[in-house]
Amino acid sequence: SAVISQKPSRDICQRGTSLTIQCQVDSQVTMMFWYRQQPGQSLTLIATANQGSEATYESGFVIDKFPISRPNLTFSTLTVSNMSPEDSSIYLCSAEGGGETQYFGPGTRLLVL
Amino acid sequence: QKEVEQDPGPLSVPEGAIVSLNCTYSNSAFQYFMWYRQYSRKGPELLMYTYSSGNKEDGRFTAQVDKSSKYISLFIRDSQPSDSATYLCAMRNSGYALNFGKGTSLLVTP
């Protein structure tokens, strides 16, 4: 199984600012994913990050709000731009595992004031 | 109707009990089914993975998939206080996007 780390683990930000979350995997993977987990809600996929190509965004999420980078096969970043209190959430990075599964990082807890 | 339904609980059981956790779904194209365990302030940890219908056992954990009923279950035998966590079901079709339930909060009391 892949071991995934995320930075920062938590942050408190002011509205209108941006935060970049980093995700590091201990092995090379083709597919990485970014999810949002809001209180009382299901984990929701934001986008799929493929190395060497543009990220693929799910319905309701746009690149201007959540730009993603994937510079190599072990690293990705998600930026939450022009934040509002509604962006307060847990943001999770995941990577494809062997076979058909996904492994998750510990998450980044974001509070926007 | 959400694609994946899961009772959020909370579910409280005494130590040693058999726990049954369930999810229903509406998309008949789902083929891959997973259970994740999430401790407070941690990321989801993959517990069980099943392809198509059938049962899979791993130690105290058994996953069941009934595609005809669009129903999946996770059984925990001899439950322990360390099993106290939120259990998330997840599933997908041939694509990569996972569809999650909201999670069931489980408390195992000594």
Side-chain angles (χ1 to χ4, degrees), chain A residues 35 37 42 100 102 105 109, chain B residues 36 38 41 43 49 92 96:
Chain A
Y35 288 81
Q37 187 175 28
S42 317
E100 310 296 341
Q102 290 181 24
R109 283 156 181 77
Chain B
Y36 287 85
Q38 187 173 26
R41 302 189 176 278
Y49 157 69
R92 66 175 184 86
Y96 283 97

Side-chain angles (χ1 to χ4, degrees), chain B residues 7-110:
Chain B
D7 186 338
L11 179 62
S12 182
V13 301
E15 182 175 356
I18 297 174
V19 175
S20 172
L21 304 167
N22 311 293
C23 289
T24 59
Y25 62 95
S26 58
N27 188 343
S28 58
F30 288 148
Q31 303 176 50
Y32 304 92
F33 304 90
M34 282 142 272
W35 286 95
Y36 287 85
R37 178 174 63 194
Q38 187 173 26
Y39 290 112
S40 179
R41 302 189 176 278
K42 301 289 186 183
E45 169 195 8
L46 180 66
L47 268 182
M48 301 287 285
Y49 157 69
T50 308
Y51 170 68
S52 194
S53 285
N55 294 357
K56 187 173 184 178
E57 187 173 322
D58 184 2
R60 297 185 295 112
F61 298 90
T62 300
Q64 288 186 351
V65 175
D66 182 348
K67 291 189 71 177
S68 63
S69 301
K70 299 189 179 70
Y71 188 88
I72 70 170
S73 301
L74 177 71
F75 297 95
I76 307 174
R77 292 182 298 281
D78 188 24
S79 56
Q80 304 294 310
S82 59
D83 295 327
S84 298
T86 296
Y87 290 80
L88 307 166
C89 64
M91 51 198 77
R92 66 175 184 86
N93 52 26
S94 56
Y96 283 97
L98 287 178
N99 296 268
F100 281 86
K102 289 186 178 181
T104 300
S105 176
L106 172 66
L107 177 64
V108 181
T109 56

